[in-house]
Amino acid sequence: MKAFFTLFIAAFLFFGCSAFSQTKSQALSKINTEGFQRSQVMQLIGDLSDVYGPRLTGTDQYLTAAQWAKKTLENWGVDKVYFENYCDDCMGWEVKSFNVEMIEPAYMKIHAYPYAWTESSNGVQIGDMVWIENYGDIEAVKKQWAGKLEGKTVLIGSVPKQNMLFDPLSTRFTKEEIEGAKKDILPASPSPLGPTSGNVDLVANKDVVFEKGMRKKDAFYAFLKEEGALSILGTTPLSPGIVHPSGTYSFRKSHIKSVPYFAISPESFGKLKRLVDRSIQPKIKFHLDSELYLKPKNNVNIIGEITGSDPVLKDEVVMIGAHFDTWHPASGATDNGAGTGVMMEVMRIIKATGLKPKRTIRIALWGGEEQGFLGSLAYAEDHYGKVGETSRKKEVEKISAYLNMDNGAGKMRGIYLQGNEGVRPIFEEMLTPYKHLDVDNLSIQNTNYTDHDVFDYYKIPGFQIIQDMLNYFTVTHHTNLDALEYVPERDVMINATVIAALVYQIAEREEMMPREE
């Protein structure tokens, strides 16, 4: 009788486990079929980039795109979709028309784009150009230039180093780089995957990093306005011909707004500087017709939920997210239309399969990430507790995990574990069915400078996926070339499908994901 009972238990466990495995296998099969064979991710990214274009924080364009995203999620049957405001004094800024030219000593079209939140020119302006290389020491600048800048266009900064394009513009991580990252044992050690792997607590130090670091030119801007300067020209040393207007962060109503400030190509900068070196004074003609306005209703996070099916576990949440805002000189396809489109596609896949995950799955599309996690941080302080305070709201205990995508449009290669060793065996098991796609690489490394940092600060398991960089930092990041042409369809299809599978499996677990020690 004892032997029979033992055999019965063994058979029960075997068939029970087999049934569970088959159920999980069937669920992943549905996700794969929907994600790979019926994908809509490129259409979503195309809508975001080609139709709704740049989505700069605070703008009417941002709100119009947010309304589209909300309606799209609702049309898929996502159970709850709503907006949450994140900023009352973040200003909108939009370009209506601009042009920059050199008209003496000979005509040259200057390849340019205005920096955000700078003032209009009040019509066409013409003035001689001067060069100020070192503008960080404002007292030294005042001593040298006081009384000499009225009616002048000011070229600022050093001449970019030559880029002869010997190195490839687009790369994928090599096998050696991935293997090196997998072998890391310290979260803050130098990473084979590049400079994004650090241990900077950006949330606790946000005022230092963003307010002081990103807006360090404010005193210089104020001085130029006082002196009557007409405009500023600057550049960023990227690849040839690329314009990178990511240098002003004067987005709050109280911030100093610069005189018209244009990012120009490295080549245009180089020629202007060479003329100055020859004692030939270039004459610059320009205009900038732009609009500054304050509409707090534009500043919204987009939140959507698929309600969990388990009577108890539905109060726990698996979150996914990406920042919805972009910089303004292009359509924001890789930063971060790709991340937004992928995460929206995750929600579509799960709804389209008819699967009923136990936990609630929540998507958050954040505003104001480019200005220092404004959207995700406002959400966290409202739902989880204030930064710098020890008390936390109960809601923080209900979030099982947060997955983020914001490193361009490259293929997922794995997950940064953000120092959380407890999740390693769990992710290893969850990613095993996708090993053939080479997306199962796990690194203990931290990675920073995007919205998962906020969740990590609150000790919520928050993760950014490891992605092939492709041409993100060489061509598209915050530039005039951030367009749909740089989004590879296969890569984003894989990202959406694998993340959907991860999210579903996390939602089905009997326990929440382990917290960091």
Side-chain angles (χ1 to χ4, degrees):
M1 186 68 182
K2 183 177 180 182
F4 173 78
F5 182 75
T6 302
L7 183 62
F8 173 79
I9 292 296
F12 174 80
L13 291 173
F14 174 78
F15 287 111
C17 291
S18 297
F20 173 77
S21 177
Q22 186 180 25
T23 302
K24 175 181 173 181
S25 176
Q26 289 173 338
L28 296 185
S29 177
K30 289 181 178 181
I31 288 171
N32 294 346
T33 300
E34 191 64 39
F36 292 138
Q37 299 181 31
R38 305 187 188 111
S39 175
Q40 293 183 23
V41 68
M42 283 300 290
Q43 179 181 332
L44 292 168
I45 300 171
D47 285 346
L48 280 164
S49 59
D50 291 344
V51 179
Y52 294 97
R55 302 171 295 282
L56 186 70
T57 293
T59 60
D60 292 336
Q61 281 179 294
Y62 178 95
L63 181 61
T64 299
Q67 291 168 338
W68 165 84
K70 181 174 183 289
K71 184 177 180 180
T72 300
L73 291 167
E74 289 171 341
N75 288 342
W76 292 336
V78 173
D79 299 318
K80 287 192 253 181
V81 190
Y82 51 95
F83 290 156
E84 290 191 7
N85 185 270
Y86 67 83
C87 186
D88 291 328
D89 64 344
C90 293
M91 298 193 72
W93 179 90
E94 291 179 3
V95 176
K96 298 179 180 179
S97 175
F98 76 94
N99 189 44
V100 187
E101 305 164 297
M102 180 180 74
I103 57 175
E104 291 182 11
Y107 180 83
M108 178 179 73
K109 172 70 175 179
I110 296 176
H111 299 288
Y113 211 94
Y115 285 97
W117 296 291
T118 63
E119 294 181 343
S120 291
S121 64
N122 298 316
V124 175
Q125 303 289 340
I126 299 175
D128 293 334
M129 193 199 80
V130 298
W131 174 52
I132 300 178
E133 181 176 15
N134 300 312
Y135 50 87
D137 186 344
I138 189 62
E139 295 306 319
V141 170
K142 288 180 178 180
K143 184 176 181 180
Q144 181 178 357
W145 291 99
K148 301 176 183 178
L149 297 178
E150 187 171 359
K152 299 290 193 296
T153 283
V154 182
L155 183 72
I156 64 170
S158 302
V159 177
K161 294 181 180 179
Q162 283 188 325
N163 184 344
M164 302 303 292
L165 295 180
F166 293 130
D167 296 324
L169 290 177
S170 189
T171 59
R172 294 190 185 273
F173 287 128
T174 65
K175 182 178 180 180
E176 290 73 22
E177 288 169 332
I178 290 291
E179 288 299 319
K182 288 166 63 176
K183 292 176 182 177
D184 276 339
I185 59 174
L186 294 175
S189 64
S191 170
L193 301 185
T196 59
S197 298
N199 196 27
V200 181
D201 194 339
L202 296 178
V203 177
N205 298 291
K206 67 183 188 307
D207 291 335
V208 174
V209 174
F210 289 99
E211 287 298 305
K212 296 180 181 178
M214 298 298 189
R215 298 182 53 244
K216 59 187 177 184
K217 298 178 186 176
D218 280 8
F220 180 67
Y221 300 154
F223 171 68
L224 294 188
K225 290 180 75 170
E226 292 169 4
E227 292 294 308
L230 292 179
S231 64
I232 309 170
L233 305 179
T235 195
T236 300
L238 287 180
S239 300
I242 293 178
V243 179
H244 187 273
S246 179
T248 53
Y249 291 81
S250 304
F251 54 89
R252 294 193 187 277
K253 185 178 180 181
S254 59
H255 289 163
I256 295 170
K257 306 298 184 289
S258 169
V259 298
Y261 184 8
F262 299 91
I264 65 177
S265 70
E267 294 82 359
S268 293
F269 189 102
K271 181 172 180 177
L272 293 171
K273 172 58 171 55
R274 289 192 297 273
L275 291 172
V276 172
D277 290 342
R278 293 186 177 199
S279 299
I280 299 173
Q281 192 166 55
K283 192 176 291 291
I284 306 300
K285 177 182 178 181
F286 72 94
H287 82 269
L288 171 59
D289 183 6
S290 61
E291 182 182 8
L292 273 163
Y293 52 84
L294 179 62
K295 297 182 180 179
K297 68 180 180 63
N298 289 352
N299 302 315
V300 294
N301 296 320
I302 306 110
I303 314 295
E305 294 182 1
I306 298 173
T307 305
S309 60
D310 186 277
V312 176
L313 296 182
K314 69 178 182 180
D315 291 334
E316 297 176 359
V317 178
V318 183
M319 285 191 71
I320 58 174
H323 73 85
F324 196 72
D325 64 306
T326 74
W327 282 103
H328 58 294
S331 56
T334 69
D335 187 25
N336 191 29
T340 295
V342 162
M343 292 310 191
M344 289 181 69
E345 174 74 349
V346 168
M347 299 295 278
R348 188 199 69 80
I349 289 171
I350 292 172
K351 286 300 296 184
T353 58
L355 296 171
K356 305 292 183 184
K358 295 177 181 178
R359 288 181 179 82
T360 293
I361 296 173
R362 179 181 299 155
I363 185 174
L365 303 176
W366 310 114
E369 187 270 351
E370 300 290 6
Q371 290 72 49
F373 315 151
L374 298 182
S376 56
L377 190 54
Y379 179 92
E381 290 205 305
D382 185 40
H383 291 267
Y384 307 147
K386 298 297 182 183
V387 171
E389 297 180 3
T390 56
S391 61
R392 292 286 178 260
K393 298 181 180 180
K394 286 291 184 182
E395 190 174 344
V396 77
E397 300 172 5
K398 296 293 186 179
I399 310 299
S400 181
Y402 173 79
L403 299 178
N404 193 76
M405 180 174 163
D406 177 27
N407 275 327
K411 193 187 83 168
M412 175 178 178
R413 302 295 296 276
I415 301 173
Y416 293 105
L417 299 182
Q418 209 72 16
N420 186 347
E421 277 289 1
V423 298
R424 185 188 295 273
I426 298 169
F427 280 137
E428 284 178 346
E429 180 183 352
M430 290 180 175
L431 289 171
T432 295
Y434 300 95
K435 193 176 184 67
H436 63 291
L437 296 175
D438 192 21
V439 297
D440 60 334
N441 304 287
L442 304 175
S443 173
I444 196 63
Q445 280 288 334
N446 299 316
T447 183
N448 300 120
Y449 292 97
T450 192
D451 292 295
H452 76 287
D453 276 320
V454 172
F455 291 83
D456 189 58
Y457 172 81
Y458 286 88
K459 298 302 179 186
I460 294 168
F463 308 102
Q464 170 74 15
I465 65 173
I466 301 170
Q467 292 175 256
D468 283 327
M469 286 293 98
L470 302 183
N471 37 42
Y472 187 54
F473 288 116
T474 56
V475 175
T476 67
H477 184 250
H478 295 187
T479 78
N480 60 321
L481 296 182
D482 190 0
L484 194 63
E485 281 74 8
Y486 295 98
V487 178
E489 182 174 13
R490 185 177 187 273
D491 287 25
V492 290
M493 286 173 62
I494 289 172
N495 295 351
T497 306
V498 174
I499 292 173
L502 282 174
V503 167
Y504 175 75
Q505 291 178 84
I506 295 171
E508 287 290 286
R509 278 174 50 83
E510 291 302 315
E511 299 176 342
M512 291 174 59
M513 295 290 277
R515 258 46 174 180
E516 288 182 70
E517 292 293 332

